[in-house]
Amino acid sequence: MESQQIIAALREATSVPAEAVREATSRRDEMVPVLIGVVARSADAPMPALAGEDGLVFLAVHLLGSWRATPAYRAVADLLARDVERLDMLLGDAVAFTIHRVMFNLFDGDPAPLMDLIENPAADCQVRRRMLDTMGMLTVAGRIERPAMADYLRRLEGNLAGDPNGLVSSGWAELIAQLGFSDLRGAVEQSFCAGIIDPQFLSHEDFERMLADAQAGEVMAGIGDEYRPFGDIVSELRGWTIRDDPESEADREDIDQEDIEEEVVRIAESLRQREPALAGWDAPGSPAMAFPGMPSIGLGGQQTVLNPYRYVGRNDPCPCGSGRKFKRCCGQWK
């Protein structure tokens, strides 16, 4: 494959194109500047000009990360500073699940771009939170000195503007715990008392547990591969949808909402009869968690809670009413 054929294959992919990735990797020196150019243009191009480029940009960022192409560090950081709508279109779920690991690989020794993102009140809050995780990973790896990291986290106390839901502040407190910085416990306590940290993102009990784990040697433990450097792109993104297939999107839009709700009730009834406490969301006595418009049913005076996310598409409006797409709101945590 020539470089332009590789680019065309990446642009059209709906899942990771293994052959194109192999070809790109075999021509890495040639492809790195090409892919950096793709990322740089995507940060500044008008949104209409990016139609059809989402898969290409997504794969470019992850390929550069898997190659540890440090010259791409600032181009990707510049893209991450852009508006939520742009990031949603180009990177989707990567913002929540992989971008901090990619940025760890791209780090060129200067933490300033990471700090700029964390402190940027106009940047996406999920990006800001994940860049805190990147800095934590770099600290564990010895690429940022622990005293310097502790000083930086101390300086951030009360200075994380543009965080209306407390997601960034929760990430700040969690990182203090994950790194075992017990000297900063008082600052975190004050933030809890002031209501700056939202318990839905980090409870006081979880903070104390993570801090104790870190002091016992489990530093930046995370869940699964959460805090490991991004690896081989084919293995890492196996099963991911790189971009939405317009035909499948159109098919889903044709589904009648009443039919969906009837099916939800039928499935819930069947599941209740087989396993009343399936997954914990229909346990007897549990408070209702269904969102508006989602049905709930009960037997014997007990209220059964239906899984409110079963038929929510990743690009549908989030059922919580935030106005954001599901994949950029509650879908990040479910």
Side-chain angles (χ1 to χ4, degrees):
M1 282 187 182
E2 298 297 326
S3 61
Q4 291 307 309
Q5 291 176 307
I6 293 171
I7 291 295
L10 298 178
R11 180 179 285 114
E12 296 302 318
T14 56
S15 59
V16 178
E19 182 181 355
V21 166
R22 284 194 296 270
E23 289 289 333
T25 302
S26 71
R27 307 164 73 102
R28 182 180 307 181
D29 291 344
E30 174 188 350
M31 293 302 300
V32 164
V34 172
L35 295 180
I36 291 175
V38 167
V39 174
R41 287 191 295 275
S42 72
D44 295 319
M47 289 291 286
L50 294 174
E53 296 292 293
D54 48 341
L56 173 60
V57 177
F58 181 96
L59 289 167
V61 167
H62 286 85
L63 269 172
L64 292 165
S66 70
W67 294 340
R68 295 179 179 262
T70 55
Y73 177 54
R74 292 163 198 275
V76 177
D78 184 45
L79 173 60
L80 293 177
R82 303 301 166 152
D83 59 279
V84 173
E85 183 181 3
R86 184 178 299 261
L87 295 183
D88 186 30
M89 173 185 176
L90 298 176
L91 297 179
D93 296 337
V95 171
F97 296 110
T98 59
I99 200 62
H100 59 300
R101 301 169 60 214
V102 167
M103 288 298 282
F104 174 87
N105 286 1
L106 297 180
F107 183 64
D108 68 0
D110 181 6
L114 298 175
M115 294 176 176
D116 289 344
L117 283 168
I118 291 165
E119 298 173 51
N120 182 355
D124 178 27
C125 288
Q126 184 65 55
V127 167
R128 298 170 67 191
R129 187 211 185 286
R130 279 311 198 182
M131 293 307 99
L132 282 163
D133 291 335
T134 299
M135 292 192 69
M137 293 169 64
L138 291 166
T139 302
V140 173
R143 302 181 69 186
I144 295 177
E145 297 293 331
R146 279 183 64 87
M149 189 66 198
D151 288 344
Y152 179 62
L153 291 172
R154 185 176 290 107
R155 178 167 69 81
L156 288 181
E157 180 188 1
N159 293 314
L160 290 168
D163 182 28
N165 297 318
L167 179 61
V168 186
S169 295
S170 299
W172 164 81
E174 183 173 320
L175 184 56
I176 289 172
Q178 292 271 23
L179 292 175
F181 288 142
S182 57
D183 290 349
L184 296 177
R185 178 192 267 121
V188 174
E189 294 282 0
Q190 290 180 18
S191 294
F192 271 116
C193 291
I196 294 172
I197 299 173
D198 191 328
Q200 75 170 324
F201 296 128
L202 179 69
S203 69
H204 189 274
E205 292 76 13
D206 283 342
F207 170 78
E208 291 294 342
R209 175 184 54 78
M210 284 187 282
L211 182 60
D213 288 346
Q215 291 173 331
E218 295 185 35
V219 180
M220 294 292 287
I223 301 172
D225 295 333
E226 185 177 8
Y227 298 129
R228 293 180 186 174
F230 189 77
D232 173 70
I233 185 173
V234 176
S235 299
E236 290 273 8
L237 300 181
R238 183 180 291 113
W240 279 58
T241 298
I242 303 307
R243 64 185 180 88
D244 295 313
D245 185 338
E247 292 184 5
S248 65
E249 288 287 305
D251 290 344
R252 192 181 67 228
E253 289 174 0
D254 290 339
I255 298 174
D256 184 84
Q257 183 63 31
E258 290 185 5
D259 291 341
I260 289 175
E261 293 185 0
E262 289 177 4
E263 180 69 3
V264 169
V265 172
R266 185 191 66 77
I267 292 172
E269 182 69 25
S270 174
L271 290 175
R272 188 212 317 280
Q273 292 174 4
R274 295 194 337 248
E275 183 56 65
L278 182 68
W281 48 260
D282 63 346
S286 296
M289 291 291 289
F291 290 111
M294 299 296 291
S296 62
I297 54 179
L299 288 176
Q302 296 175 347
Q303 187 173 33
T304 295
V305 181
L306 306 186
N307 179 357
Y309 305 110
R310 181 175 179 86
Y311 287 100
V312 181
R314 31 195 312 273
N315 289 303
D316 292 341
C318 189
C320 76
S322 68
R324 303 183 77 185
K325 292 184 180 180
F326 176 66
K327 67 183 179 183
R328 301 286 288 133
C329 192
C330 295
Q332 297 176 144
W333 310 106
K334 301 298 177 186

